[in-house]
Amino acid sequence: MVGLIRGGYIGRMVRVNLTKLKVKVEEVKPDFMVSYVGGSGWGARLIWDEVKPNVHPLSGKNKVVVATGPLTGTLVLGACKTSLSSISPATKLYGNSSIGGMLGVELKQSGFDALIVEGASRKPVYLWVTDRRVEIKDASHLWGLGCLSAEDAIRKELGDAEVSVATIGPAGENLVKFACVMCDRGHQAGGMGIGAVFGSKKLKAIAVKGHFDIPVANMELMRSTFDRAMKYVNYEGGDGGTVRGRVRMGDASCYLCPMACRRVNVIGKTGIKILSPEYEETAFLSMNYVLPSMKDVVYGGWLCDELGMDVVSAGTVIAFAMECYERGLLSREELNGLDLRFGEAEDVLRLLGDVARRRGIGNLLAEGVEAAAERMGEEAIRIAMHVSGLKALGYDVKAALATALAYATYGIGEHSDGAGAITYDLKAGRGRYTEDQAERVSYLQHVGLLLDCLGVCQLPWVRLGLNLEAYREAYEAVVGVNVTFDFLLRRGKAIYDLTRAINSLRGIYGGRGNLQPWFKHLALSGALKGLKPSEAGSEGCWTRTTRLEMGCEDRDPEEGKAYRAQA
C-alpha cells in the first residue's frame, strides 16, 4: 500500500544541528509516512527514537520537531496546521502544539515535510528555509525584540514581506516555562513552553518561503471532496456587541479556510491591528481578571503576543497571583509594590512584562502555576488551577464532566485536543455521568490527535459538524492511498499510546489520573452555583477499571520499553 503514495508528502525532511552548525537533508521512508501520518505523529516517533528519557527539556539534547501533515497546504478546510513537538519545559513530559499561519504551507513548498532542530547555538541565530536550502543566520541584532517586532525585522532583512516567520520573544529568551512560538502575527504554538526550548537553543526564529508545488494524487477528487465539505459551511461567530463597536475591525481567516473565525481588533488610538482576542483570550484576560474594558483586554492580548507568552497560561498564573494576594499569601512587597486586585488593569499589564523578563515576583510566576504553588505552600496548592502542570482551559468542569475526565487523563496535560469532550457534554447534558463517557472521551481524544497529524484545524469538525469521512476522502485524494477511516483512527490511537509510552519512560504514564483540588470546589456563585464533580461521580471517572478502559493505568517503565518494539 505504502508504495502507492503519489501526493501529500514531499518525502524529505531537514535536520539542523545548532551545536555543530550543520544542515542535513534526509529522505523519509514511505512506511514511516503512513504509519505515523504526519504532524504530531511524526514528532512523537522522532522524540521517542532520538530523545532519551532523562534529557532535561532545556538541554541541548532535547529536540524540536516541526512537522506538517499530508493535508497541510492542500484544498481541504483548515489545512494550514503544523505541529511543534518536544519535551515540554512546562510538564517535563512529551508535548506538542499545533500552529496556524503559513509556516507549514511554506515549509512544504520549500521541499520539506519536516524540520528537526537539535543541539544549541552559542549565539542567537535564526533559520532561513527556502527551496530545499537551509541557512543558519546570525540573530544577535534580533535578540531582545518582541515577536511581532522580530517578524517585521526579519522580513525586511530578507526583502520579502510574504515570508512566513515563527519567532520567540523575551519570554522564550528568558526561558519562561509557558513561552510560546508566535507565527505570522497572531498564530501561537502555546502552552507547552516550546518557546523556551527555542530560547535554550538560542534559536530566535524560523523564516520560510517556498516556490514548489505540493503534489496531489487526484486533483479532480480533491476538488469534489472540497465542494462537498463546503456545504457544511454556515458559520457565524459571536457578534461581540460592544467589542464590535469599540475595538473590532473585522474578521480574518486562515489559509484556504472559509470560516473566518479570527477577529481583527485595533489597540486604542494606535491603529495597530492584532488577531486577538479570541474566546480563550477573552476569558483569561477579562473575566479571569475582572477587567472592565475590552480595550485593556485587546491590549493585554497584544502584549502577550509581543512578549511571546501563551495567553491562557499567562492569564492563569497572574489570576493565581491575584487570588494569593487577596488571601494574604503574597504581600504587596513581594509583588514588587503592585496592588494586584481583580478589576485593576494597570498592575496586571505591568506584571505580564515582569513575568516575561523574570523580574521580581515575575521570576517565580514564570515557572508556571504548579511550581509557584508548590513553593508557596499548601493553601496555594489548593487554589492552583492546572492539570499536570499545564494551564487551565476556559471550560469549567463543574458542569462538564466528560471534559473533566479528558483533562485528568489526556497524556500531555490539559490540552486543547482534550477539550473536544465538551462537544459530548453538550449533547449528553452538562453535569451528567453517563455509561459511555469513558469510551466517548477516549474516542474524541484519538480523533483530535489524528486531525493534528493530518495537518488540519479541528474547528470545521467541532463547530461545523463536518463528517469525519470527509477527512478520509481528502487523504485518499491527496495521498492517492485508499484507506478506511477506521485505519486512520487506529493510527491516531497508536500515536496517542506512543506519547503515553514516552511519558512512561519519563516516570509518569499518561495523565496523572486526577484533577487538582480547585476543580472539585463547590461553585459558590454564578450560573454554576452549587455544582461540582460529585464524589460518587469522581469514583466513577477515576477508578482503576475506568482508567484501564481509558488506557491510562500506570505502567512499569520496563513495560513501556517493551512497547517500544511494537511502536
Side-chain angles (χ1 to χ4, degrees):
M1 179 181 71
V2 295
L4 301 177
I5 291 174
R6 293 180 287 121
Y9 300 103
I10 306 301
R12 193 182 302 111
M13 58 186 175
V14 60
R15 185 182 299 271
V16 179
N17 188 306
L18 293 178
T19 302
K20 299 177 180 177
L21 301 180
K22 298 286 187 182
V23 175
K24 180 182 179 184
V25 175
E26 301 174 2
E27 300 297 319
V28 184
K29 295 180 179 179
D31 59 347
F32 178 90
M33 297 179 194
V34 174
S35 295
Y36 298 95
V37 187
S40 54
W42 286 24
R45 179 69 207 214
L46 290 165
I47 294 295
W48 169 265
D49 285 340
E50 301 184 10
V51 180
K52 294 182 178 178
N54 61 350
V55 166
H56 190 279
L58 301 179
S59 158
K61 294 181 179 179
N62 191 11
K63 303 189 181 189
V64 177
V65 180
V66 182
T68 64
L71 303 186
T72 303
T74 64
L75 192 61
V76 178
L77 292 184
C80 65
K81 290 293 188 176
T82 305
S83 287
L84 278 67
S85 303
S86 189
I87 299 300
S88 165
T91 63
K92 298 182 178 63
L93 304 174
Y94 168 81
N96 75 274
S97 292
S98 176
I99 195 169
M102 292 295 290
L103 181 69
V105 180
E106 296 290 353
L107 185 61
K108 288 178 78 169
Q109 291 181 331
S110 295
F112 302 111
D113 289 302
L115 167 67
I116 304 170
V117 182
E118 58 190 24
S121 173
R122 298 181 64 179
K123 65 177 185 178
V125 296
Y126 76 91
L127 304 181
W128 170 222
V129 184
T130 183
D131 295 350
R132 296 177 186 164
R133 293 183 293 110
V134 178
E135 184 178 352
I136 304 172
K137 296 178 74 72
D138 178 54
S140 299
H141 58 300
L142 303 171
W143 205 251
L145 290 183
C147 293
L148 305 176
S149 304
E151 271 191 42
D152 291 341
I154 290 172
R155 291 195 180 98
K156 183 177 181 181
E157 185 170 295
L158 295 174
D160 189 339
E162 301 300 321
V163 170
S164 177
V165 182
T167 185
I168 63 169
E173 296 173 7
N174 291 309
L175 310 182
V176 173
K177 297 297 174 56
F178 46 87
C180 67
V181 177
M182 284 286 301
C183 181
D184 298 344
R185 308 198 74 79
H187 303 274
Q188 295 184 345
M192 303 304 302
I194 296 178
V197 182
F198 270 45
S200 71
K201 297 179 179 303
K202 290 287 191 291
L203 177 61
K204 179 66 179 180
I206 300 172
V208 191
K209 179 72 174 181
H211 300 88
F212 300 120
D213 290 334
I214 297 173
V216 172
N218 188 331
M219 188 67 76
E220 184 178 348
L221 179 58
M222 185 178 72
R223 287 186 182 281
S224 64
T225 301
F226 181 76
D227 289 342
R228 286 195 296 276
M230 282 294 290
K231 294 178 181 176
Y232 286 81
V233 178
N234 182 24
Y235 175 73
E236 292 184 7
D239 177 74
T242 301
V243 180
R244 176 185 286 277
R246 296 180 180 174
V247 296
R248 184 170 157 190
M249 299 289 291
D251 303 330
S253 66
C254 295
Y255 176 74
L256 282 178
C257 181
M259 287 183 63
C261 67
R262 309 300 308 271
R263 300 291 175 256
V264 181
N265 292 296
V266 63
I267 302 173
K269 298 179 180 178
T270 66
I272 298 174
K273 297 177 183 177
I274 63 170
L275 282 175
S276 72
E278 296 180 87
Y279 70 100
E280 290 276 8
E281 291 164 294
T282 302
F284 283 90
L285 294 179
S286 61
M287 284 82 88
N288 227 26
Y289 299 157
V290 200
L291 296 188
S293 167
M294 279 306 298
K295 293 179 180 178
D296 291 328
V297 175
V298 171
Y299 180 75
W302 172 83
L303 191 58
C304 285
D305 285 355
E306 181 72 341
L307 294 170
M309 287 195 298
D310 173 56
V311 173
V312 178
S313 301
T316 301
V317 78
I318 288 182
F320 165 75
M322 296 168 91
E323 186 161 358
C324 287
Y325 179 55
E326 291 208 344
R327 290 170 179 261
L329 302 177
L330 282 174
S331 68
R332 191 163 182 170
E333 289 71 27
E334 290 173 310
L335 287 168
N336 313 336
L338 300 177
D339 187 21
L340 201 63
R341 297 187 181 280
F342 289 99
E344 299 294 331
E346 183 176 346
D347 286 345
V348 166
L349 298 174
R350 181 179 153 193
L351 186 54
L352 286 172
D354 288 346
V355 172
R357 295 181 172 84
R358 287 185 174 271
R359 292 188 298 231
I361 190 68
N363 188 45
L364 174 63
L365 300 178
E367 294 296 305
V369 169
E370 182 181 32
E374 287 178 351
R375 293 184 193 179
M376 292 171 62
E378 193 60 34
E379 187 172 352
I381 291 173
R382 193 173 61 79
I383 62 173
M385 294 175 64
H386 69 90
V387 177
S388 301
L390 282 190
K391 64 209 177 176
L393 293 172
Y395 305 101
D396 194 331
V397 299
K398 294 179 178 64
L401 301 174
T403 303
L405 182 59
Y407 283 178
T409 57
Y410 201 63
I412 58 177
E414 190 174 350
H415 192 276
S416 55
D417 281 351
I422 192 70
T423 59
Y424 176 77
D425 281 315
L426 293 174
K427 290 179 181 177
R430 303 186 71 174
R432 290 186 61 225
Y433 294 97
T434 54
E435 291 184 356
D436 64 344
Q437 194 172 67
E439 178 187 352
R440 293 302 298 173
V441 168
S442 179
Y443 171 79
L444 291 168
Q445 289 175 336
H446 299 157
V447 171
L449 181 57
L450 171 64
L451 297 184
D452 272 358
C453 295
L454 290 171
V456 299
C457 177
Q458 297 183 25
L459 291 185
W461 165 58
V462 172
R463 292 192 182 178
L464 302 180
L466 180 61
N467 193 315
L468 290 171
E469 181 66 14
Y471 296 101
R472 185 208 63 78
E473 293 177 2
Y475 183 89
E476 179 180 325
V478 172
V479 179
V481 174
N482 295 325
V483 295
T484 63
F485 183 76
D486 182 62
F487 168 83
L488 293 174
L489 190 60
R490 279 188 278 114
R491 294 316 309 159
K493 181 181 185 305
I495 295 162
Y496 188 80
D497 289 344
L498 178 59
T499 65
R500 293 184 182 284
I502 295 171
N503 294 341
S504 175
L505 293 180
R506 297 185 69 84
I508 297 176
Y509 182 64
R512 296 179 189 176
N514 212 333
L515 294 174
Q516 299 305 306
W518 183 91
F519 293 97
K520 300 174 186 175
H521 290 177
L522 183 71
L524 300 177
S525 61
L528 306 183
K529 183 178 180 180
L531 291 178
K532 69 172 184 176
S534 72
E535 293 300 325
S538 298
E539 287 298 315
C541 279
W542 294 296
T543 60
R544 184 171 185 274
T545 300
T546 307
R547 289 173 66 187
L548 280 171
E549 187 177 354
M550 293 286 296
C552 296
E553 185 60 13
D554 292 341
R555 286 182 181 172
D556 188 280
E558 291 302 318
E559 189 177 342
K561 291 176 184 176
Y563 181 85
R564 187 172 197 147
Q566 305 169 25

